[in-house]
Amino acid sequence: MKHQISLVGGQLLPIYVGIKEFNPGKIHFIVSKESATSLNNIKPIIKGILLNEYQCNPFDFYEIKSICEQIIQKLNPNDTIEFNLTGGTKIMVLACQAIIHEKGIKGFYINQDNSYLELPSYERKNISLELTVNEFFDLSGHKTFNYKTIKDFKTEDFKAAEKIGNFANNDTRYKVIIGYLRRKYLNKNIALSLSGNESINNNLKIIWDPLNLKIKSNNKIILDLNSSIINDLFFKAAWWELLIANEIAKSIKFKELFLGFELNFKSDKNTTKNEIDILINTGKKLIFIECKSGLVKQEDINKMKVVKQTYGGAIAKSILVSRELPIPSIIEKCKELNIELFYSNVLNKEVNPINKLIKLISEIENKASI
């Protein structure tokens, strides 16, 4: 039987990758008191593999070394064993490295560039497996979510999104309307009805129902939209997310790409806890994209930080795509949190930052670090 001794720290992803890539028959988890509970998320998704768990003082070199030596001593002559040194404390890694060199046992360390180091030779080799979004979120203990893909949208939805984009880019009345709606409804957390009309000023009026939206100026229609999701596209700015996602989908091939990815509470599966505008799975890492057609707030950046850390881990990437240049404090915070920032009108064909965004995402995918 093939055994694997795996050091457990704060990140479950390299542990799971080590299991999937090397396919052991039995795993021996070396845990601290603090890291032991995290195994509750990984145990249900590695069914069929025998498990043992050993708790240690993560800073006691000799205790850790003794636990590993006892595991090895109990093996049958035909058994093999290897170490996954990616997790745990530095002392845990040093204790296992000592055994590797003393006994000539093999091990590995998962790098952040889609490769691993084979020990004790330190030869770099590529990781072959790809993970699904389900696997990534299983590792954080989240199994309930909703989403859409590009295929879920109709031709009329894309046409409506493009019309809104052209209107927003070329007509100052777009800002007037959105500003009015924000002050009257959004800032007061008042929901718009599915059908209604609003007179923005003496000349400007907006009329809508679940399938159609019209904007009139001096009783002349200046924008006429038809879509079964027109309320989301216009009032919730989903037009911006849809156009960005469509450009990405046309330009790059990924394992998975989702829009409006909603994560529900574990305790209340009918209530949304977090929403991700665009979620890309390269098979090796998650890329979280937040799309803002208007004002970017501090809470938007804080949410991006939490979402990345909770669901994607250290290897994940966050990107903010904003139609306008955010205020200096937002730009500063993005830099501090390693959030890539793209702004300006991506639909302006003369200056099209979407090309730069596509290039960045391609580079992230090609590096695809674990």
Side-chain angles (χ1 to χ4, degrees), residues 116-310:
Y116 65 92
L117 288 179
E118 188 176 69
L119 304 174
S121 66
Y122 295 100
E123 180 182 355
R124 184 185 295 271
K125 296 185 176 181
N126 290 329
I127 293 171
S128 60
L129 85 154
E130 291 188 344
L131 303 182
T132 65
V133 158
N134 282 15
E135 289 175 295
F136 276 108
F137 282 92
D138 278 346
L139 290 172
S140 66
H142 290 81
K143 300 179 182 295
T144 306
F145 40 80
N146 304 299
Y147 57 80
K148 290 183 178 180
T149 68
I150 288 293
K151 294 181 180 179
D152 292 322
F153 295 90
K154 302 174 183 178
T155 301
E156 63 182 22
D157 302 328
F158 292 105
K159 288 182 178 179
E162 289 175 359
K163 284 185 177 181
I164 298 172
N166 290 330
F167 181 64
N169 296 336
N170 301 303
D171 198 318
T172 57
R173 287 172 291 192
Y174 174 79
K175 280 191 175 182
V176 173
I177 295 169
I178 295 301
Y180 172 88
L181 295 173
R182 182 183 296 115
R183 291 188 298 272
K184 183 171 182 178
Y185 294 98
L186 301 181
N187 292 348
K188 299 177 182 179
N189 291 319
I190 300 174
L192 278 85
S193 60
L194 294 178
S195 301
N197 65 84
E198 288 285 346
S199 294
I200 312 300
N201 52 41
N202 292 333
N203 302 321
L204 197 59
K205 187 173 184 179
I206 180 171
I207 307 163
W208 72 92
D209 60 45
L211 299 176
N212 179 262
L213 182 146
K214 290 182 174 65
I215 296 176
K216 293 183 178 181
S217 179
N218 293 319
N219 292 320
K220 180 182 178 181
I221 296 176
I222 59 173
L223 186 65
D224 191 352
L225 305 172
N226 296 284
S227 167
S228 60
I229 56 169
I230 194 60
N231 285 3
D232 286 345
L233 289 176
F234 192 87
F235 297 122
K236 298 181 180 179
W239 67 271
W240 181 244
E241 301 166 18
L242 183 56
L243 293 182
I244 295 295
N246 194 40
E247 287 295 324
I248 294 172
K250 290 191 298 184
S251 304
I252 309 173
K253 290 185 179 180
F254 293 102
K255 185 175 181 65
E256 297 170 297
L257 188 151
F258 304 105
L259 292 85
F261 195 96
E262 296 179 343
L263 279 154
N264 298 333
F265 282 95
K266 297 178 185 178
S267 56
D268 183 359
K269 295 181 179 180
N270 296 317
T271 303
T272 301
K273 177 168 62 174
N274 281 308
E275 182 176 356
I276 303 159
D277 292 340
I278 301 173
L279 175 62
I280 297 172
N281 174 24
T282 69
K284 309 295 183 182
K285 66 163 58 173
L286 298 179
I287 303 173
F288 302 95
I289 301 179
E290 179 81 4
C291 300
K292 302 299 292 184
S293 65
L295 181 67
V296 183
K297 300 178 182 178
Q298 290 284 348
E299 49 261 41
D300 297 322
I301 307 303
N302 293 333
K303 187 198 83 169
M304 294 180 69
K305 174 187 175 182
V306 171
V307 166
K308 173 185 176 295
Q309 291 178 340
T310 304

Side-chain angles (χ1 to χ4, degrees), residues 78-106:
N78 295 327
D79 289 343
T80 61
I81 193 161
E82 62 192 359
F83 285 89
N84 181 351
L85 302 186
T86 318
T89 64
K90 292 179 180 179
I91 296 298
M92 293 168 73
V93 173
L94 288 174
C96 293
Q97 277 187 312
I99 296 175
I100 287 174
H101 290 292
E102 289 173 9
K103 300 183 179 295
I105 295 174
K106 291 184 177 182

Side-chain angles (χ1 to χ4, degrees), residues 34-125:
E34 291 74 22
S35 66
T37 54
S38 65
L39 291 179
N40 294 331
N41 289 336
I42 200 170
K43 288 177 181 178
I45 57 176
I46 53 173
K47 295 178 181 178
I49 300 177
L50 299 174
L51 307 175
N52 273 345
E53 186 178 329
Y54 308 84
Q55 192 169 124
C56 69
N57 178 346
F59 304 104
D60 189 328
F61 176 91
Y62 295 102
E63 180 187 351
I64 299 162
K65 189 168 184 285
S66 175
I67 290 173
C68 294
E69 288 174 336
Q70 291 176 36
I71 294 171
I72 295 169
Q73 288 173 1
K74 295 178 181 179
L75 299 182
N76 294 324
N78 295 327
D79 289 343
T80 61
I81 193 161
E82 62 192 359
F83 285 89
N84 181 351
L85 302 186
T86 318
T89 64
K90 292 179 180 179
I91 296 298
M92 293 168 73
V93 173
L94 288 174
C96 293
Q97 277 187 312
I99 296 175
I100 287 174
H101 290 292
E102 289 173 9
K103 300 183 179 295
I105 295 174
K106 291 184 177 182
F108 59 88
Y109 182 91
I110 305 292
N111 295 313
Q112 294 193 6
D113 61 355
N114 193 28
S115 71
Y116 65 92
L117 288 179
E118 188 176 69
L119 304 174
S121 66
Y122 295 100
E123 180 182 355
R124 184 185 295 271
K125 296 185 176 181

